[in-house]
Amino acid sequence: MIAGRNTAATFEILLYYLVPALYTDGRRQASALLGQWGFLTKYLISDLEAMSPTRRARLLRQVLRKTARRVGRYAVWGDMHRLDAAHWLGRLPVLGKAFRVARFPVGGSRETPMKTAHGLVASPHDAVYGSQARHISDLSDPDENYFVLFGGQDGWLGSANFADQIDLWRQGNYIRMPLRAESIAAEFPLAMDLEPAP
């Protein structure tokens, strides 16, 4: 039975089997578009409704059987959906693993507020795109600004600030950044003046 399982994983696994099965006859030039949400929201329901009831029922039974067999492997969406935190050199073949900072389960999907994009999936995979920063400002108070970056403030390998915000990101926490001069002086007493060499 599919009922009672993790709904995000169930939905994605269902799409994984349904979309290719629906478009195998080439009624639409869908090969490059199958995993794109804009394509699915525009055509999927109407194309299902356009099928004869018998053919649609047969297709859905087949897809639901396949989905039910696979969905029990994943208790939560993060069991399938992961985010790789790495330096851009992490994409190198073989050596890339040395530049990985962390790999962890993540929420979100193609069109959620916390977007983490992926294609049609039915097994563990890495999100291919996600939010890079979060920012909240209370416009009634210049001191109420909150930021967090996925990773850190510095892209320099070995820097203390290269990946220091990953834990904040995962916990949903932020760094407060006031704008009033007196608030900055009170909250950030350490100042560093940089001057060019003579």
Side-chain angles (χ1 to χ4, degrees):
M1 289 293 295
I2 293 175
R5 301 287 187 192
N6 170 28
T7 53
T10 301
F11 177 72
E12 290 300 334
I13 294 168
L14 181 88
L15 284 179
Y16 176 83
Y17 289 116
L18 174 62
V19 173
L22 178 60
Y23 295 109
T24 53
D25 64 1
R27 284 177 297 134
R28 297 199 187 279
Q29 297 300 315
S31 59
L33 302 172
L34 288 179
Q36 293 185 11
W37 195 243
F39 174 84
L40 296 176
T41 56
K42 185 173 183 179
Y43 297 113
L44 184 63
I45 298 300
S46 60
D47 286 347
L48 280 170
E49 289 174 343
M51 297 174 76
S52 72
T54 304
R55 185 165 176 253
R56 182 174 53 242
R58 186 170 55 247
L59 173 70
L60 291 175
R61 274 195 302 273
Q62 170 192 1
V63 166
L64 287 170
R65 273 195 303 271
K66 290 180 178 179
T67 301
R69 282 196 297 268
R70 185 176 283 260
V71 78
R73 301 175 190 178
Y74 310 106
V76 294
W77 177 228
D79 289 346
M80 284 178 60
H81 196 56
R82 301 187 162 279
L83 193 57
D84 203 7
H87 187 273
W88 61 269
L89 291 173
R91 300 220 181 262
L92 286 172
V94 182
L95 299 175
K97 293 177 185 175
F99 299 99
R100 179 182 284 167
V101 177
R103 187 170 186 249
F104 47 84
V106 67
S109 189
R110 298 173 193 87
E111 294 296 322
T112 60
M114 189 180 74
K115 183 171 183 171
T116 50
H118 54 89
L120 295 172
V121 293
S123 60
H125 60 276
D126 288 331
V128 294
Y129 171 81
S131 303
Q132 303 301 309
R134 297 182 193 144
H135 168 210
I136 301 170
S137 284
D138 178 349
L139 300 180
S140 69
D141 186 343
D143 286 342
E144 295 302 312
N145 305 288
Y146 301 87
F147 296 86
V148 67
L149 298 174
F150 179 68
Q153 186 65 31
D154 192 340
W156 191 258
L157 281 171
S159 163
N161 304 113
F162 174 68
D164 62 335
Q165 294 182 38
I166 289 177
D167 287 339
L168 290 173
W169 179 274
R170 293 188 68 194
Q171 296 160 9
N173 292 327
Y174 296 81
I175 298 169
R176 184 170 178 262
M177 302 291 289
L179 293 179
R180 290 188 180 100
E182 60 273 18
S183 303
I184 295 168
E187 294 183 34
F188 301 96
L190 180 63
M192 179 185 296
D193 293 325
L194 300 175
E195 297 179 6

